[in-house]
Amino acid sequence: MNVVKALGRLWLVPVALVAWEVVTRVAEQPFFPPPSAILARMYELWFSGPPSHLLLTDGALADLGPSLARLFTGWLVTAVIGIAAGIAIGCSPRLSDYVDPLIQFGRAVPPPLLVPFFLALLKLGTPAQLATIVFGVIWPILLNTIDGARTVDRQHLETARIFGFSAAQRLWQVILPSAMPKIFAGLRLALSLALILMVIAEIFAGTDGIGYRLLYTQRSYLYPDMWGCIVLLGLLGYLLNSAFLLVERRVLAWHRGARQTT
Amino acid sequence: MLEITDLVHSYGSHRVLGGVSFSVAEGELVSVVGPSGCGKSTLLRSVAGLIRPSGGRITLGGEPVERTPDNLAIVFQDYSRSLFPWMSAANNVALPLRRKGMDRRRRREAAMTALEQVGLADAGGKFPWEMSGGMQQRVSIARALAYRPSLLLMDEPFGSVDAQTREDLEDLVLNVCAHHGITILLITHDIDESVYVGDRVIVLTRSPTRVAADLEIGLGRSRDQIATRQLDAFVRLRAEVGRLVRGGHTTTPASVLEKH
């Protein structure tokens, strides 16, 4: 039943693809290669490898490897920093009053603007790219964690107090779990931002990776390749988001259950 | 074991408690009843050390209450905000036992025993939101039992459940009190309930709140939802408490009441 329903909703995808194919073939514009050509190019570039490499070619590993490493390192490092700082700030109204204006200013600065600065300050390549990602994605994580830690139910905290929970118990068993739904919302937003910033960082400050490949193909007039990069990035974003939702659904099963019954 | 002397508390210029004094002896189940907004919760929160009263003295086992006392447990009215929804019932019960220096296995055992005592032997693995309100409140009571407190505070513990569940829970508390010798201070706005569960009933006045009457119930510990409520003594006491809560004066001297 569900499969039929899901398929029923997916009919627009092939229709859009066919329309795209027809329009690009009729227009015969070099800037807009038909999707079949794009897919053929993607297959050649990335997915015609040996089965032992999950069909990935050396080119795919060279393009995607460094990019994904950057993306995940940046995201995870930021998650640790953002959650730790967010809990500390959220639990202390005084600290929160002090740092709030700074946070509001910091998050208003568009992160790509800082790439030239990071390039001047740090080495071209990974350090500057990571700095760009970290600075860009920390805000949703930080703000959501602060909000989550600040809005822990008063009665949960009182229960912890009455039953004499230690500071560690209060943090790990009460504050973190109850902030988790908001933290996850922040992490998910941060993940899609991290993908964008990874590409930007590679375009401006890269020598490898999918973003650099995108720039290179554009400069070499390899339009099917360039479109291949764009499609690949779109697919990557979609996959990352789906994988994250899967994890979230497991970790926050209690939250969905609790929300449905109250 | 619990002494409250001349307890005063104000929120800003609004005086809630105007000098409340009473005591609770070891093993007693004392219900506190009063008109709504009379500061029952303020009283309870002071005893729990959650707020610092403006004046007066509270001692528990001879020690003045300044912060939350070590051997105190609480059952709140709003079970859904007191149990942690991210843990199973058994973990909710077991978590506070860590400070008692029990290892994981013994905590688990103690939790299962407590759940059994409240009639939830099979529900240890369930999450609070998978249970009815009455079951959640039972878990909350099990958590308090497993903790073995010297004083158990109950803040309108049956205020959010349906009538049938409420009767079951009242009997559960009576049972627990009789079998475990726990001292309980139970706060309620329900006159009937205060008489049914209490060894003694403390009636509070409107704010600034004082003690209007301190009635010995003397119905014995084994009570029955139907039979006890039919007793002449019960009916008389309920009427008495009802009049006092509405601001009337006691028509029967306490000495006469005590004979019933």
Side-chain angles (χ1 to χ4, degrees):
Chain A
M1 239 351 251
N2 278 334
V3 179
V4 175
K5 253 190 198 165
L7 286 178
R9 264 176 297 176
L10 281 178
W11 63 268
L12 194 57
V13 177
V15 170
L17 276 175
V18 169
W20 185 7
E21 181 81 32
V22 170
V23 170
T24 44
R25 270 173 194 262
V26 170
E28 278 189 21
Q29 275 267 348
F31 298 115
F32 296 101
S36 56
I38 297 170
L39 286 175
R41 219 25 220 142
M42 287 175 74
Y43 173 77
E44 255 171 73
L45 278 174
W46 297 309
F47 303 112
S48 52
S52 59
H53 284 147
L54 295 166
L55 302 180
L56 293 174
T57 59
D58 290 345
L61 297 178
D63 286 338
L64 281 173
S67 292
L68 287 177
R70 258 167 225 139
L71 173 78
F72 284 120
T73 314
W75 183 65
L76 288 171
V77 166
T78 318
V80 172
I81 301 172
I83 293 171
I87 294 278
I89 297 168
C91 288
S92 159
R94 264 191 63 191
L95 185 58
S96 155
D97 285 345
Y98 279 119
V99 299
D100 189 60
L102 295 176
I103 293 175
Q104 297 305 335
F105 177 74
R107 75 156 175 168
V109 176
L113 296 187
L114 289 164
V115 178
F117 167 70
F118 287 136
L119 272 177
L121 192 68
L122 302 161
K123 279 216 310 240
L124 181 77
T126 309
Q129 290 165 341
L130 276 182
T132 306
I133 296 176
V134 169
F135 184 83
V137 306
I138 196 162
W139 309 109
I141 301 178
L142 186 65
L143 289 165
N144 272 304
T145 309
I146 292 174
D147 190 36
R150 199 181 279 161
T151 51
V152 176
D153 197 308
R154 198 182 68 162
Q155 202 164 294
H156 283 150
L157 291 174
E158 287 181 349
T159 303
R161 213 167 127 191
I162 295 220
F163 287 109
F165 286 17
S166 63
Q169 261 181 317
R170 230 183 38 214
L171 173 64
W172 292 104
Q173 311 283 351
V174 184
I175 296 172
L176 261 181
S178 87
M180 226 18 123
K182 284 189 177 144
I183 293 177
F184 263 78
L187 285 175
R188 186 145 77 94
L189 208 61
L191 189 58
S192 56
L193 264 177
L195 182 72
I196 298 171
L197 288 169
M198 172 200 86
V199 176
I200 289 176
E202 285 174 350
I203 288 177
F204 284 108
T207 51
D208 60 0
I210 188 82
Y212 178 75
R213 162 77 69 178
L214 179 69
L215 184 71
Y216 172 81
T217 51
Q218 179 257 326
R219 282 186 179 161
S220 321
Y221 310 104
L222 300 166
Y223 292 113
D225 295 35
M226 186 190 83
W227 275 95
C229 288
I230 295 171
V231 172
L232 186 68
L233 281 166
L235 284 175
L236 194 60
Y238 180 79
L239 279 178
L240 286 174
N241 193 52
S242 308
F244 186 88
L245 279 178
L246 218 64
V247 174
E248 179 179 287
R249 214 163 289 171
R250 288 197 71 123
V251 176
L252 296 182
W254 65 266
H255 185 241
R256 287 201 308 155
R259 249 199 336 207
Q260 272 161 14
T261 47
T262 48
Chain B
M1 69 154 319
L2 174 69
E3 283 296 334
I4 299 173
T5 320
D6 212 19
L7 191 68
V8 176
H9 191 69
S10 306
Y11 292 109
S13 63
H14 177 58
R15 189 163 229 212
V16 194
L17 300 178
V20 173
S21 304
F22 66 91
S23 64
V24 178
E26 184 98 42
E28 241 183 340
L29 200 172
V30 173
S31 41
V32 175
V33 66
S36 53
C38 78
K40 295 186 289 276
S41 286
T42 306
L43 171 67
L44 183 120
R45 296 168 69 77
S46 308
V47 174
L50 291 174
I51 53 171
R52 245 199 132 81
S54 325
R57 200 176 146 76
I58 303 172
T59 61
L60 183 62
E63 295 279 311
V65 172
E66 269 155 5
R67 277 171 300 142
T68 303
D70 281 346
N71 265 311
L72 184 121
I74 199 160
V75 173
F76 288 107
Q77 169 176 6
D78 196 348
Y79 41 80
S80 67
R81 290 173 51 216
S82 170
L83 295 175
F84 301 119
W86 48 85
M87 329 181 168
S88 66
N91 283 338
N92 263 290
V93 176
L95 186 59
L97 303 178
R98 278 203 204 170
R99 75 183 304 207
K100 307 253 166 186
M102 297 161 82
D103 62 33
R104 201 189 184 82
R105 200 175 53 83
R106 283 182 52 215
R107 288 202 303 267
R108 180 110 202 138
E109 279 169 13
M112 289 330 266
T113 314
L115 283 170
E116 231 171 84
Q117 283 163 350
V118 299
L120 290 179
D122 301 324
K126 282 195 175 164
F127 283 82
W129 39 271
E130 294 175 305
M131 302 176 154
S132 67
M135 281 168 85
Q136 290 183 52
Q137 198 57 309
R138 278 169 194 268
V139 175
S140 204
I141 293 170
R143 176 170 66 186
L145 280 183
Y147 194 66
R148 302 193 177 283
S150 52
L151 177 67
L152 170 57
L153 300 175
M154 305 186 97
D155 187 6
E156 303 267 6
F158 319 127
S160 303
V161 294
D162 61 83
Q164 178 62 49
T165 309
R166 179 188 192 109
E167 293 187 351
D168 293 345
L169 289 175
E170 286 169 2
D171 289 336
L172 173 70
V173 168
L174 281 168
N175 232 317
V176 159
C177 197
H179 282 91
H180 298 264
I182 297 183
T183 313
I184 300 180
L185 183 65
L186 182 145
I187 281 182
T188 176
H189 65 272
D190 186 309
I191 292 154
D192 191 278
E193 177 172 284
S194 71
V195 176
Y196 182 74
V197 297
D199 294 326
R200 259 168 64 216
V201 175
I202 310 272
V203 186
L204 300 178
T205 63
R206 284 182 194 291
S207 67
T209 304
R210 295 170 158 279
V211 173
D214 183 343
L215 307 172
E216 196 74 41
I217 296 303
L219 291 171
R221 263 291 160 78
S222 90
R223 299 183 189 184
D224 178 85
Q225 289 288 350
I226 311 287
T228 303
R229 286 195 159 94
Q230 282 180 323
L231 295 175
D232 286 345
F234 183 88
V235 174
R236 230 188 337 268
L237 279 161
R238 187 176 53 192
E240 184 66 32
V241 173
R243 264 192 293 277
L244 285 161
V245 167
R246 278 176 187 74
H249 294 283
T250 173
T251 50
T252 333
S255 55
V256 176
L257 282 165
E258 273 165 23
K259 284 179 191 157
H260 290 290

